[in-house]
């Protein structure tokens, strides 16, 4: 069975486009090799990453992530088995998000009450998927 982790962290300095490109290139190469999928969200120094894969692989990967000097304040906010991957076709997707979308995502992950969350037409695709993911987990 696949597993999913989500963590928040803060860049030690704002990422430039070249920084993001380097992170994505390295992540995609490593994730393909280890059958990991996921997505990286970034706005104004705040990072949210969702990773899917075999639990042991993710555990080792998260250990490396915590030691990465490019960010600090790494906080694991979600860690559990999943019935199917949301990002199976993405070795590492990337989506810049607005400050408001970031606040909404953090609210969903940190303060989820078990109530279905409304999905609005204008919501970012990643926000929609995270909402659907959380809603589906509450009904299992």
């Amino acid at each position: 069975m696949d597993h999913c982790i989500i963590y928040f962290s803060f860049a030690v300095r704002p990422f430039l486009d070249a920084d993001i490109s380097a992170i994505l290139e390295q992540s995609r190469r490593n994730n393909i090799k280890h059958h990991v999928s996921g997505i990286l969200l970034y706005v104004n120094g705040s990072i949210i990453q969702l990773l899917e894969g075999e639990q042991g692989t993710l555990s080792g990967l998260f250990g490396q992530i915590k030691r990465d000097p490019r960010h600090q304040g790494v906080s694991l906010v979600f860690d559990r088995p999943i019935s199917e991957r949301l990002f199976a076709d993405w070795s590492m997707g990337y989506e810049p998000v607005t400050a408001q979308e970031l606040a909404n995502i953090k609210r969903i992950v940190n303060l989820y009450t078990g109530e279905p969350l409304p999905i609005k037409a204008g919501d970012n695709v990643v926000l929609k998927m995270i909402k659907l993911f959380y809603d589906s987990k509450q009904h299992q």
Side-chain angles (χ1 to χ4, degrees), residues 18-67:
D19 297 323
I20 295 288
S21 293
I23 289 168
L24 292 173
E25 183 180 319
Q26 178 183 9
S27 295
R28 288 173 178 148
R29 187 175 51 249
N30 291 337
N31 290 353
I32 288 170
K33 184 166 57 173
H34 294 103
H35 308 288
V36 171
S37 56
I39 188 162
L40 174 71
L41 308 175
Y42 177 78
V43 63
N44 297 334
S46 292
I47 301 162
I48 299 176
Q49 189 167 31
L50 179 150
L51 296 167
E52 305 164 317
E54 192 273 326
Q55 185 176 10
T57 300
L58 293 183
S59 179
L61 180 57
F62 187 63
Q64 292 174 347
I65 287 168
K66 289 189 295 188
R67 293 186 300 276

Side-chain angles (χ1 to χ4, degrees), residues 5 10 30 32-33 44 63 84 86-87 92 94 98 100 103 106 109 126:
I5 64 170
F10 303 97
N30 291 337
I32 288 170
K33 184 166 57 173
N44 297 334
E84 71 179 278
L86 290 176
F87 302 99
M92 182 48 57
Y94 171 69
T98 67
Q100 182 59 52
K106 285 186 174 183
V109 173
V126 174

Side-chain angles (χ1 to χ4, degrees), residues 62-83:
F62 187 63
Q64 292 174 347
I65 287 168
K66 289 189 295 188
R67 293 186 300 276
D68 189 322
R70 295 174 289 194
H71 63 161
Q72 60 191 358
V74 178
S75 175
L76 185 64
V77 296
F78 186 86
D79 183 4
R80 70 168 123 163
I82 54 174
S83 57

Side-chain angles (χ1 to χ4, degrees), residues 85-101:
R85 294 184 186 205
L86 290 176
F87 302 99
D89 296 332
W90 297 9
S91 61
M92 182 48 57
Y94 171 69
E95 185 78 21
V97 295
T98 67
Q100 182 59 52
E101 289 168 335

